[in-house]
Amino acid sequence: MSITIDSEKCIGCGKCAEVCPGNLIKLDGKAYIKYPKDCWGCTSCVKECSVNAVKFFLGADIGGMGGLVYTRQRGDVLTWVIERPDGSAKEIDINRKESNRY
Amino acid sequence: MKLRKLSTDVLIIGGGTAGCYAAMTIAQNSPDTKTLICEKANIKRSGCLAAGVNALNAYITKGCTPQDYVDYARNDAAGIVRGDLLLTMSENLNSVTDHLERLGLVILKDENGNYVTRGKRNLKINGENIKPLLADAVNELENVTVINHINMTGLAVSENRINGAFGFNVSEEIFYSIAAKAVIICTGGAAGLYKPNNPGFSRHKMWYPPFNTGAGYAMGIRAGAEMTTFEMRFIALRCKDTIAPTGTLAQGVGAKQINSLGEVYEDKYGLTTSQRVHGTVMENISGRGPCYLKTEGITPQQDDALIKAYLNMAPSQTIKWLESGKMPSEQNVEIEGTEPYIVGGHTASGYWVDTDRETTIHGLFAAGDAAGGCPQKYVTGALAEGRIAALSALKYIASKSIPEISEEKISENSSRAEKFLNTKGSRFSCEQLEEAMQTVMDRYAGGIGTNYRYNEKQLAIADERISQIETLTDELCAEDMHELMLIYELCERLTVCKILIAHLRARKETRWHSFAENLDYPERDNENYLCCINSRLENGKIKIIRRRLIKEGERYEHNDRQ
Ligand SMILES: Cc1cc2nc3c(=O)[nH]c(=O)nc-3n(C[C@H](O)[C@H](O)[C@H](O)COP(=O)(O)OP(=O)(O)OC[C@H]3O[C@@H](n4cnc5c(N)ncnc54)[C@H](O)[C@@H]3O)c2cc1C
Ligand code: SF4
Ligand code: SF4
C-alpha cells in the first residue's frame, strides 16, 4: 500500500506533505515519499494534489496488479480515476453532497 | 535542539475527532479561554477519520432511548462496561450529530426530512470529508491555536496534579514545554503492537491508524495514571488484504458470513463483535475456510453503490474490485480478523476516568479512544466525550492560574530526546526492535499467529521478552526528528504492551473469545471477574487493582487518589 509521486509533474506546493497523517512525505524542491512502507493508504495526499502528481497503488502483497489511482475535483464532484496497466482507465464521479446508499 | 516554552489555559493533546470537538466546545462555552491543540500531523486529515468513515455508528434512532444503547454496549462487552460513562455519552449522541450536520456533513434523509437509519443505531452519510469539516470549524475559532506537526511525548505532573506537557516538532529541532491549567488527552488508541496482517511492504495497511501509537496511554501510565480493561483487545473483522470495513456489506446489502462450503456460520457462534471474529477463526481451524461475506447475486446497481461507498471511506477496496475485474456481485468478499488493537472507542480499554472524564491525575482529562470503560463510542461517541471532557476541564480551571514547569523537569525530558539525537550508530535499528516486539506479541500474547489465544506460560515469556526489548531501546540513535519520533513511538508501544500483558494475566478467565482467550482458563468466571481490571505504575512496578462496575445513574468520583 503506497503512493508514487511524479517529480516531472510536481510543482512543489507541499500540500501533500502537509496533510499526511504519518508525516511520510518530504520536500526537496519537489515532494517525495520517504517512507513508502509506512503508508496507511488513506489517500489524503492524493486528494490534495492539484496537478495529479500523486498516485496511489495497492502493494503486490495485498493483491495489487499495477493500477494507479488519482482524483480530480470540480465543485462538489470528486472524480476518481483508476488507470489500469493496459492503459485503459475508469472514472467514477462522486458528489460530495450525496450520501452513501449503504 | 531549541527549547520553546508556551502556556495556555487548556492544552488538548491530539487534534482528532475528540480533540477537535473539545476545542469547539470550549470556544462555544467560554470564548475567552485560551486553548492549544498540539497535533502530530495536521488536523485536516489526522487520525481515524483521515480516509473518511462509512456511517455514524452511534445514534439514538426513533423509538430507541440512550438506555437501549447502554444495554446494547453492555451485552456486546459481556458486562464489562461503565454504565455511568455509557449513559452520559449516549445522551449526547444526537446533539453532536445535529452539530455535525450543521458543519456540513451530508446525512441521508427521507422525503419527510428524517434521517434514514441503517439498522437500529446507524445513520447513512457521506463521510469522506468529515475530518476537513471539523478542522475548518476549529481553524476559525478565535482563541483556539493549533500547532500541527508536534509530537507530544510526556506529561508534566507534580504531586499528582497536571502542569502541562512536553513534545517536539517532527521535522525541526525544537523541543516544546507547554504549561497548562488543564490537559485533555485525545490521542486515540494503539495500533502496531502486534504483527500485522501483511507484515511486508503493506505492513501499515491496517484497520486502525498506524500513527496512533498509544502515546496518550504511555504518557499517563508513566505519570502514574490508572488504566482500565486493557485486556479487552479489539480485533476487527475486515475484508481480506485491504482491511476495509465489512459493515457496509453486512448491513448495507445484507451479506451474511459464510464458510467455503457456503454455509452461513454466524448464528452458530453468536452475534457479538468478539463472537463474529471467533466464529471466523473457528471455521478456519476446522478446515472450512476461507470465510466470506456472501455478496454473489447482488444487483449491478448494488455493485455501483458499493464501489462509491468504499471510495468514500476505504478506497483500496474499490481499487481491488476494479483491478481484479470481479465485482462483489460476481465474487464473494473474503474476510479475516485483524491483529489486536487497544482502542477505547470500540472496546473498554483506556484511562480510568470519573463520570466527568477526569483521570486519576488532577486536571488531566481523557476522551475518545484514549478513555476507557465506555465501548462502542465510534465517531459520535468520541465527539460526545470531547464535549463532556471539555466542559469538565472548564470547571476545573475556573479559579486556577497557569502552573510553572520546573527547569529540572524540562531538562529531564529534553535531554532524553537529545541523547537519541546525539548517539551515533547503534547495534539494532528502531525497525528491528519494532519487528521483535510485534513477533513476541504475536507468538506469546495472542496474535494472529496463535489464533488470538495464549496461556499463562506464554504470557510470562511475552512479559520477559518485552522487558528485554525495552532495555535495548536505550541504545537507539536518531539521524533526524522523524527518526526521533519513530523511537518514541516504539517506546510508547512497548509501555502499552507491558500493561496489556499484565492485564491479560490478571483476568484469569475467558470472557470474550479472541479478544482475551486464555487457554488455561477457557470458561467465563462471573463469580470472580464481573469487575474492572485496572492498573497503575507504582515505583516502576505494575499494580493491579480490581474495581466494581459502576452503573448508569451513579456519579463516580475518584475517592482514593492522592
Ligand atoms: C478506519 C476506520 C474507520 C472507521 N469508521 C467508522 C465509521 O464508519 N463510523 C463510526 O461511527 N466510527 C468509525 N470509526 C471509529 C471512529 O472513527 C473512532 O472511534 C474515532 O474517530 C476516534 O476518535 P479519537 O479522537 O479518539 O481518535 P482520532 O480521531 O484518531 O484522534 C487522535 C489524534 O491524536 C493524534 N496523535 C496521536 N498521537 C499523538 C501525539 N503523540 N502527539 C500529538 N498528537 C497525537 C493523531 O494524529 C490524531 O489526530 C472508524 C475508525 C477507523 C480507524
Ligand atoms: S496515502 Fe495517506 S498515509 Fe499514505 S502517503 Fe498519502 S497521506 Fe500519507
Ligand atoms: S501536492 Fe502535488 S504538486 Fe504539491 S508538492 Fe505534493 S506532489 Fe507536488
Side-chain angles (χ1 to χ4, degrees), chain B residues 83-97:
Chain B
D84 61 328
L85 300 177
L86 276 171
L87 188 64
T88 46
M89 171 198 79
S90 302
E91 287 167 346
N92 279 282
L93 291 174
N94 290 19
S95 61
V96 300
T97 302

Side-chain angles (χ1 to χ4, degrees), chain A residues 14-75:
Chain A
K15 283 188 184 166
C16 55
E18 183 57 39
V19 298
C20 173
N23 297 296
L24 308 175
I25 302 172
K26 304 290 170 193
L27 277 171
D28 186 4
K30 310 269 179 148
Y32 65 100
I33 171 100
K34 187 158 182 203
Y35 303 93
K37 280 168 79 176
D38 288 349
C39 171
W40 186 30
C42 69
T43 66
S44 301
C45 52
V46 175
K47 292 170 200 164
E48 287 297 314
C49 186
S50 56
V51 297
N52 304 134
V54 189
K55 291 180 184 173
F56 166 75
F57 65 93
L58 296 188
D61 58 340
I62 56 170
M65 305 282 283
L68 291 171
V69 180
Y70 62 91
T71 60
R72 273 197 313 263
Q73 224 157 291
R74 238 174 305 107

Side-chain angles (χ1 to χ4, degrees), chain A residues 1 18 38 47-48 61 67, chain B residues 42 128 202-204 323:
Chain A
M1 175 87 14
E18 183 57 39
D38 288 349
K47 292 170 200 164
E48 287 297 314
D61 58 340
Chain B
N42 181 308
E128 187 277 321
S202 300
R203 62 187 182 187
H204 270 185
E323 279 203 305

Side-chain angles (χ1 to χ4, degrees), chain A residues 1-2 17-24 26 34-35 37-40 42-44 47-48 56-59 61-67 69 78 80 82 84 90 92-102, chain B residues 40-42 44-45 47 50-51 54 106 108 124-126 128 149 170 198 200-211 241 248 252-253 302 305-309 311-312 315-316 319-320 322-323 480 482:
Chain A
M1 175 87 14
S2 197
E18 183 57 39
V19 298
C20 173
N23 297 296
L24 308 175
K26 304 290 170 193
K34 187 158 182 203
Y35 303 93
K37 280 168 79 176
D38 288 349
C39 171
W40 186 30
C42 69
T43 66
S44 301
K47 292 170 200 164
E48 287 297 314
F56 166 75
F57 65 93
L58 296 188
D61 58 340
I62 56 170
M65 305 282 283
V69 180
L78 184 68
W80 293 77
I82 296 114
R84 298 197 186 85
K90 183 172 171 76
I92 301 171
D93 285 340
I94 296 199
N95 190 327
R96 282 185 157 142
K97 289 276 182 296
E98 280 172 16
S99 163
N100 294 347
R101 292 228 347 256
Y102 300 125
Chain B
K40 85 191 265 187
N42 181 308
K44 184 171 183 186
R45 288 280 181 186
N54 71 5
V106 174
L108 191 62
K124 300 181 185 185
I125 60 171
N126 182 333
E128 187 277 321
H149 307 296
V170 301
N198 305 288
F201 181 73
S202 300
R203 62 187 182 187
H204 270 185
K205 186 57 246 169
M206 41 182 67
W207 167 71
Y208 204 67
F211 319 117
D241 296 333
T248 305
V253 301
Q302 287 177 309
L306 284 175
I307 288 229
K308 290 192 174 179
L311 283 176
N312 284 337
S316 9
I319 296 159
K320 176 121 188 172
L322 294 177
E323 279 203 305
D480 57 27
H482 191 92

Side-chain angles (χ1 to χ4, degrees), chain B residues 356-370:
Chain B
D356 293 336
R357 272 62 174 183
E358 188 177 19
T359 71
T360 53
I361 294 175
H362 296 270
L364 180 70
F365 300 81
D369 290 356

Side-chain angles (χ1 to χ4, degrees), chain B residues 12 18 25 32 43 55 83 120 122 130 133 139 216 268 272 284 289 356 365 406 413 456 462 480 504 519 538 556:
Chain B
I12 297 173
T25 304
D32 293 334
I43 64 165
K120 268 192 183 161
N122 297 4
I130 186 168
L133 290 174
N139 286 329
K268 209 160 123 188
T272 66
N284 274 296
D356 293 336
F365 300 81
S406 71
N413 278 272
E456 296 286 295
D480 57 27
L504 291 172
L519 294 174
E538 267 182 21
Y556 179 77

